[in-house]
Amino acid sequence: MDQREANDIENEGLGCEWKEMERNTSSFSCDRQMSGTVREPLLVKNRINATSQIAIVGANVCPIESLDYEIVENDLFKQDWRSRSKVQIFQYVVLKWTLSLLIGLSTGVVAFFNNLAVENIAGFKLLLTTDLMFQRKYFQAFAAYAGCNMVLSMCAAALCAYIAPAAAGSGIPEVKAYLNGVDAYSILAPSTLFVKIFGSIFGVAAGFVVGKEGPMVHTGACIAALLGQGGSRKYHLTWKWLRYFKNDRDRRDLITCGAAAGVAAAFRAPVGGVLFALEEAASWWRSALLWRTFFTTAIVAMVLRSLIQFCQSGKCGLFGQGGLIMFDVSSAVPAYDTADLLAVMFLGIIGGILGSLYNYLVDKVLRIYSIINERGPIFKILLVMAVSFLTSCCAYGLPWFANCTPCPIGLDEACPTTDGSGNYKNFQCPPRHYNDLASILLNTNDDAIRNLLNSSNEKEFQLATLCIFFAAMYFLGIITYGIAIPSGLFIPVILAGASYGRLVGTIVGPTSNLDVGLFALLGAASFLGGTMRMTVSLCVILLELTNNLLMLPLVMLVLLISKTVADCFNKGVYDQIVKMKGLPYMEAHAEPYMRQLVAGDVVSGPLITFSAVEKVGNIIHALKMTRHNGFPVIDEPPFSDAPELCGLVLRYHLLVLLKGKKFTKQSVLSGTEILRKFHAFDFAKAGSGKGPKLEDLDITEEEMEMYVDLHPIANTSPYTVVETMSLAKAAILFRGLGLRHLCVVPKTPGRPPIVGILTRHDFMPEHILGIYPHMDPHK
């Protein structure tokens, strides 16, 4: 990385530590066992993601590392497991379920608070605007509406720009990458959780075309990460039970539960939340995790149901029917024939085309926004203010072009609507008339969706209204995603899809057995499938939202068609954003060109190894000169007959061992004394990546000449592959086992016992195609 790029990072105020290394190499703390050039993964021209060691999190560039999901089987670990009693194992299991319970309770309460705040803040804003409109004070109404939106948007942007840049966006790509094994700066930090909650409230209440559903997934994951820290020495939470979770493997399971709880809380869809975690978020799954995830989402559903029943007594202000979205279309009976199936298939094709175009445009807009966001917090806030003003102008200005419609006769509700919500807004129309475009534009997103899925009045919205609303939601959703506020994609996509679905339903209405509300639902499903490329989880979420199992065949059909069509053009929106941000995501399949290479083709030196009994000074020097996370340990005579691979030792474990200063003056085995002095918990990974630092060590010159036995902390059973194994096979093994290091051993005897180490970086296309630039990436 050149000096200009380093200054860019420093100016962002990330607090990311940057150090110049020897051998003309610059590197962040990472897994690498090789030198190389580091560049930003940027979304702008002239910047190349050559190493995937840094990535864009939120709107800032941060260092990334891999997570240690592998079980380290060293002598300390084996001694700990042998000494554990049945009571301790029972404590561990009980604590897992207890934390799942707490995740469900906390996520449910946060989701309810989020929706309660949004509905009351947005409701007050809309009531104020409506009152001024009734008094024919149109300019004052716009000033009040745009002013409220501007203040709220500035609050959301300031929180993201100054406190937690990682809270910007939906957070689903970051959670997805974390569950794949990528740890980036402050993804799940408490400050990110705080900004995610309040920034989402301000952003959604400000009238942006964003949803709170995507941020709820990130919120649930942050809550799970906070509860799963394994205690904290800083806050004196060092209860022995909590220490069981000081490892990335158990935290990964808890964060999977948190992501599922976020979906369940956002849509009141507990089964959909489990399937979302299985289909989209988690990279590793097992039956035990399925049970705990299901238990967590069930707790969320019960919490939300209890709190909603409490609010039905009128004690929650303007909450009313809003908030936790539930679209009841169960009154419509989906009787359909061949002509209806053709219309549904047409919706699926349209959804696939529009969804792929949506993803393409989001990609282009994010590249432009990155140029603005990298200039600093002030520019981020100015961009948010500009988009807020444009959104306010569209929401307030477009209804003036719509015609006034006479109120239908025999309605159960008031027409025109007298409060801030409802289906029939008067806007500027005469008495007993309503403005159909204002009814969906000047409304909360949840109420707008309810109005679009409403089947009671098939002629409620004119064709021109639906076309204008679709265009507004489509393009406002694109330009809003990427600004420095927590923003989800679910709601904008549902709004746009429901509008063109109702449009198609209105056109084919005279010849169709399906009503316009069902067409709106199918349109939303088609657009969701075209953008997000999920099938099973989206299908169940939509069915839980609408409470209509009879729609299952049609929803399945439209999702399958839209995903198939969209896959012909590009990837899903979250996959695109993961790649765009530079997050080194490992796919479940190997790329075709990997079959042409073997493992030995991509590992490179210099490889740094330690002797089983190593001089302290050599370890300190290696730790200072590199940022490698794993070091092979080689047993050599007199401790073995010939050089052999003893195992792999982690950087963090070396720091703990050096801090304990259990050294010897001679090169002798001292593992027994180390086992007596240390406990396995001493080497457990600290929460939030906070642990001993190299700078904290106080090693004297005399101690630098002493020796330390690495046998007790070396992982004696690291995963290894022979150097002639195809890179494709090694990639599938690496991803399937959730590894951080994969040792490559020689094929023939008489050579050093290890050739190199494969890390996540070595499987990235940027690295491989950088070594072999003439290789065709598609073959």
Side-chain angles (χ1 to χ4, degrees):
M1 180 181 291
D2 59 26
Q3 187 61 40
R4 179 183 64 81
E5 290 172 327
N7 290 337
D8 285 348
I9 295 177
E10 184 178 356
N11 292 337
E12 289 286 348
L14 295 174
C16 299
E17 184 179 6
W18 174 265
K19 293 194 173 184
E20 293 295 331
M21 305 297 172
E22 289 190 352
R23 293 190 294 270
N24 298 321
T25 299
S26 300
S27 176
F28 278 113
S29 177
C30 59
D31 309 344
R32 299 296 304 130
Q33 277 283 17
M34 61 172 291
S35 61
T37 303
V38 181
R39 287 180 179 255
E40 295 183 19
L42 207 194
L43 313 169
V44 295
K45 234 173 172 181
N46 305 326
R47 298 209 183 175
I48 304 169
N49 178 17
T51 66
S52 299
Q53 293 177 6
I54 55 177
I56 293 177
V57 179
N60 284 354
V61 180
C62 291
I64 56 173
E65 292 190 0
S66 293
L67 294 165
D68 296 295
Y69 290 155
E70 181 183 357
I71 296 176
V72 178
E73 291 186 343
N74 54 32
D75 293 343
L76 280 166
F77 173 85
K78 295 173 183 176
Q79 176 180 273
D80 176 57
W81 272 103
R82 283 194 298 264
S83 64
R84 283 194 183 184
S85 63
K86 290 184 178 180
V87 173
Q88 289 177 310
I89 296 174
F90 177 74
Q91 289 174 350
Y92 172 70
V93 173
V94 168
L95 187 57
K96 272 189 173 182
W97 287 96
T98 303
L99 289 176
S100 298
L101 171 66
L102 292 175
I103 291 169
L105 289 172
S106 303
T107 306
V109 171
V110 168
F112 179 77
F113 167 75
N114 191 319
N115 284 275
L116 184 65
V118 167
E119 290 295 314
N120 279 280
I121 295 172
F124 170 79
K125 176 189 68 178
L126 293 172
L127 279 175
L128 177 61
T129 306
T130 303
D131 289 342
L132 292 171
M133 291 291 293
F134 279 142
Q135 300 172 30
R136 305 303 180 191
K137 298 179 179 178
Y138 300 125
F139 179 78
Q140 292 92 327
F142 172 72
Y145 180 75
C148 290
N149 287 344
M150 188 67 69
V151 171
L152 291 169
S153 63
M154 289 174 63
C155 292
L159 288 173
C160 278
Y162 289 105
I163 298 179
S170 72
I172 292 180
E174 285 84 357
V175 173
K176 183 175 179 179
Y178 185 93
L179 294 177
N180 189 259
V182 179
D183 187 19
Y185 181 78
S186 73
I187 283 182
L188 303 174
S191 59
T192 303
L193 172 61
F194 172 81
V195 174
K196 206 73 182 184
I197 295 172
F198 289 96
S200 179
I201 291 172
F202 293 141
V204 176
F208 284 114
V209 185
V210 298
K212 50 190 175 291
E213 286 66 31
M216 271 308 304
V217 175
H218 196 179
T219 300
C222 288
I223 291 172
L226 186 62
L227 292 173
Q229 287 292 303
S232 170
R233 293 178 182 174
K234 180 179 179 181
Y235 299 106
H236 305 289
L237 296 175
T238 55
W239 191 24
K240 187 176 179 180
W241 282 27
L242 295 175
R243 293 157 63 186
Y244 289 130
F245 287 85
K246 282 189 173 292
N247 63 84
D248 290 331
R249 194 179 186 88
D250 285 319
R251 288 174 189 156
R252 175 189 67 189
D253 291 350
L254 291 175
I255 290 167
T256 303
C257 292
V263 175
F267 294 107
R268 287 169 64 187
V271 179
V274 175
L275 293 175
F276 173 85
L278 171 61
E279 181 179 6
E280 183 66 14
S283 294
W284 296 279
W285 199 265
R286 60 185 189 280
S287 58
L289 182 58
L290 178 67
W291 276 102
R292 279 199 300 279
T293 307
F294 185 70
F295 171 71
T296 306
T297 57
I299 295 298
V300 171
M302 289 188 288
V303 169
L304 291 178
R305 183 176 181 85
S306 302
L307 293 174
I308 291 173
Q309 286 181 342
F310 170 77
C311 281
Q312 288 178 349
S313 60
K315 299 178 181 179
C316 297
L318 301 174
F319 186 73
Q321 295 293 323
L324 300 154
I325 53 180
M326 176 65 79
F327 316 123
D328 191 358
V329 295
S330 56
S331 58
V333 179
Y336 46 87
D337 54 21
T338 304
D340 295 322
L341 289 177
L342 292 176
V344 171
M345 294 171 67
F346 174 75
L347 274 180
I349 295 172
I350 293 297
I353 295 173
L354 291 175
S356 58
L357 177 62
Y358 191 91
N359 294 355
Y360 173 80
L361 294 176
V362 164
D363 179 276
K364 298 303 179 185
V365 169
L366 285 175
R367 293 176 185 274
I368 296 172
Y369 283 175
S370 68
I371 303 173
I372 301 172
N373 288 333
E374 70 177 357
R375 294 179 177 271
I378 296 298
F379 286 87
K380 296 177 185 178
I381 296 174
L382 290 175
L383 177 60
V384 171
M385 293 171 63
V387 175
S388 174
F389 184 73
L390 175 61
T391 304
S392 299
C393 290
C394 291
Y396 188 85
L398 290 177
W400 290 93
F401 298 97
N403 297 323
C404 293
T405 306
C407 288
I409 301 173
L411 284 177
D412 295 333
E413 56 184 304
C415 180
T417 303
T418 56
D419 57 15
S421 61
N423 290 32
Y424 304 98
K425 288 214 170 193
N426 180 258
F427 202 63
Q428 89 292 6
C429 294
R432 299 299 303 165
H433 287 70
Y434 71 96
N435 188 311
D436 57 349
L437 187 52
S439 300
I440 46 179
L441 271 177
L442 271 179
N443 221 332
T444 62
N445 292 334
D446 294 351
D447 285 334
I449 297 175
R450 283 190 183 84
N451 294 346
L452 286 170
L453 269 63
N454 181 36
S455 302
S456 60
N457 181 9
E458 295 192 357
K459 298 182 179 180
E460 180 180 348
F461 301 104
Q462 303 173 25
L463 295 180
T465 295
L466 294 172
C467 290
I468 294 173
F469 183 76
F470 166 71
M473 292 300 102
Y474 193 88
F475 292 104
L476 284 176
I478 290 170
I479 66 171
T480 304
Y481 192 82
I483 61 177
I485 63 169
S487 53
L489 284 171
F490 274 97
I491 291 301
V493 169
I494 291 175
L495 281 168
S499 58
Y500 76 70
R502 189 171 181 113
L503 176 65
V504 171
T506 304
I507 295 173
V508 303
T511 61
S512 175
N513 295 318
L514 300 176
D515 63 51
V516 291
L518 297 180
F519 269 105
L521 172 66
L522 293 172
S526 70
F527 202 19
L528 284 168
T531 53
M532 311 207 174
R533 315 296 163 83
M534 294 182 285
T535 51
V536 180
S537 56
L538 274 180
C539 183
V540 174
I541 288 172
L542 290 172
L543 292 178
E544 289 184 283
L545 275 177
T546 56
N547 195 26
N548 190 350
L549 282 174
L550 297 176
M551 290 295 294
L552 177 62
L554 295 180
V555 174
M556 291 175 64
L557 177 64
V558 78
L559 282 171
L560 287 170
I561 293 175
S562 62
K563 182 185 185 304
T564 303
V565 171
D567 280 340
C568 297
F569 299 98
N570 51 32
K571 291 185 177 182
V573 63
Y574 295 131
D575 293 325
Q576 283 191 175
I577 294 172
V578 165
K579 182 178 180 180
M580 194 184 311
K581 286 176 174 287
L583 296 167
Y585 187 86
M586 289 286 295
E587 297 288 351
H589 60 276
E591 297 296 335
Y593 58 82
M594 290 184 178
R595 300 189 185 96
Q596 306 175 35
L597 301 171
V598 295
D601 291 334
V602 295
V603 295
S604 55
L607 180 66
I608 298 175
T609 63
F610 291 137
S611 298
V613 181
E614 185 62 81
K615 183 180 287 188
V616 173
N618 292 342
I619 299 176
I620 295 292
H621 180 75
L623 293 178
K624 283 183 178 179
M625 294 301 105
T626 70
R627 287 297 171 194
H628 304 169
N629 183 72
F631 300 88
V633 177
I634 307 297
D635 255 333
E636 297 176 328
F639 305 111
S640 63
D641 296 333
E644 63 181 29
L645 179 62
C646 172
L648 190 74
V649 64
L650 300 181
R651 180 186 192 88
Y652 182 85
H653 292 178
L654 285 171
L655 292 173
V656 175
L657 185 63
L658 292 174
K659 191 175 182 180
K661 294 190 175 184
K662 203 64 180 177
F663 307 143
T664 58
K665 292 185 177 180
Q666 303 297 327
S667 178
V668 295
L669 297 175
S670 59
T672 305
E673 295 182 13
I674 292 176
L675 289 175
R676 282 199 296 263
K677 178 179 176 60
F678 291 98
H679 190 274
F681 285 134
D682 296 327
F683 295 87
K685 189 171 183 179
S688 301
K690 296 177 181 177
K693 307 293 183 184
L694 183 61
E695 297 78 16
D696 300 333
L697 298 181
D698 183 20
I699 306 294
T700 65
E701 289 295 331
E702 182 182 357
E703 290 170 335
M704 294 283 278
E705 299 300 320
M706 300 177 74
Y707 294 85
V708 61
D709 188 0
L710 301 182
H711 283 100
I713 65 169
N715 181 8
T716 56
S717 56
Y719 286 97
T720 60
V721 296
V722 68
E723 61 182 338
T724 54
M725 176 184 283
S726 71
L727 191 61
K729 190 173 181 180
I732 294 172
L733 175 68
F734 190 94
R735 203 268 193 185
L737 295 173
L739 301 180
R740 183 171 187 174
H741 306 99
L742 184 59
C743 298
V744 181
V745 297
K747 174 79 171 177
T748 55
R751 297 167 56 191
I754 184 168
V755 174
I757 294 180
L758 288 174
T759 65
R760 178 177 297 267
H761 165 80
D762 296 303
F763 296 102
M764 292 298 107
E766 296 83 2
H767 171 67
I768 299 172
L769 299 178
I771 300 175
Y772 304 100
H774 303 297
M775 181 174 292
D776 187 348
H778 303 293
K779 292 184 179 180

